[in-house]
Amino acid sequence: MRNLGFLSILLMLAGCYGATNSPDGGPDHDADTEPTSDADGPLPLETDFGMAAGQEFSCFWTSEDLVSCWGANASGQLGDGTTEERWIPTDLGNLGPVLGIATGGAHSCAWFEGGQIRCWGSNALGQIGIASSEMTVPTPRALDPLGTVQSMDLGESHSCALTEDSRVHCWGSNSVGQVGEGSFGGSQD
């Protein structure tokens, strides 16, 4: 696992720390706690980074190919190959040159140089964007190319990507027309 000391400082500055009575930051969520840090030094400002918060979980990325997630994981939304909750950032390994990450209800997607998108977590309504009957996808799975992705946003059970050619691509639950294709009901690929 990589040294995440600078991540601890970023999370502290961003105010991203939970409420817990548990000394290990675990599941007892009754009282506010102060952030702690095991940082070795200052945040390297030459590194691009970002974070996203889903429903009861969070993810962090850097331009140095680091993706880490922590929190609830019943649907594999942390991408570490398990469905076990993680109370500290868990490194997903070298996924490649990350440009951004987005989180939804219980799924996550990252986009990369070259236009690749990888998603993981709940696929109950097709929100991962893969042609599969798998309900849970606990590791990052590549989607079919859409073009150069500029940004992504994820809802509770759907996902959208904005590409360089100003096109919006959405997939997943369309129960109230959220994929924007002119109808509602069911799931869309």
Side-chain angles (χ1 to χ4, degrees):
M1 181 181 242
R2 298 179 194 188
N3 182 338
L4 299 177
F6 72 93
L7 173 59
S8 298
I9 288 179
L10 177 67
L11 295 175
M12 182 177 67
L13 293 174
C16 291
Y17 47 94
T20 180
N21 280 333
S22 176
D24 65 354
D28 186 358
H29 302 286
D30 292 332
D32 290 334
T33 60
E34 291 298 318
T36 60
S37 173
D38 61 352
D40 296 341
L43 179 67
L45 297 178
E46 68 277 359
T47 299
D48 290 331
F49 57 89
M51 54 188 306
Q55 185 176 333
E56 300 180 353
F57 74 103
S58 301
C59 294
F60 175 85
W61 65 272
T62 74
S63 58
E64 296 174 349
D65 306 339
L66 170 69
V67 176
S68 294
C69 298
W70 61 96
N73 195 28
S75 297
Q77 63 264 44
L78 302 184
D80 66 352
T82 75
T83 55
E84 297 174 21
E85 293 179 334
R86 306 289 184 190
W87 301 113
I88 59 172
T90 301
D91 188 356
L92 303 189
N94 186 349
L95 299 178
V98 181
L99 297 177
I101 194 164
T103 54
H107 68 296
S108 307
C109 294
W111 62 98
F112 301 84
E113 290 179 10
Q116 184 182 53
I117 298 173
R118 294 184 192 179
C119 297
W120 58 93
S122 175
N123 193 42
L125 296 169
Q127 61 265 47
I128 296 297
I130 58 171
S132 173
S133 61
E134 293 174 85
M135 299 290 280
T136 298
V137 179
T139 56
R141 189 83 57 88
L143 277 62
D144 291 336
L146 299 176
T148 302
V149 176
Q150 297 295 306
S151 67
M152 289 189 73
D153 207 355
L154 280 52
E156 177 70 26
S157 299
H158 72 289
S159 304
C160 295
L162 173 66
T163 54
E164 189 174 55
D165 60 1
S166 299
R167 294 185 63 195
V168 176
H169 306 265
C170 296
W171 57 91
S173 174
N174 195 38
S175 60
V176 291
Q178 61 266 50
V179 299
E181 52 85 53
S183 67
F184 65 93
S187 297
Q188 306 293 316
D189 291 329

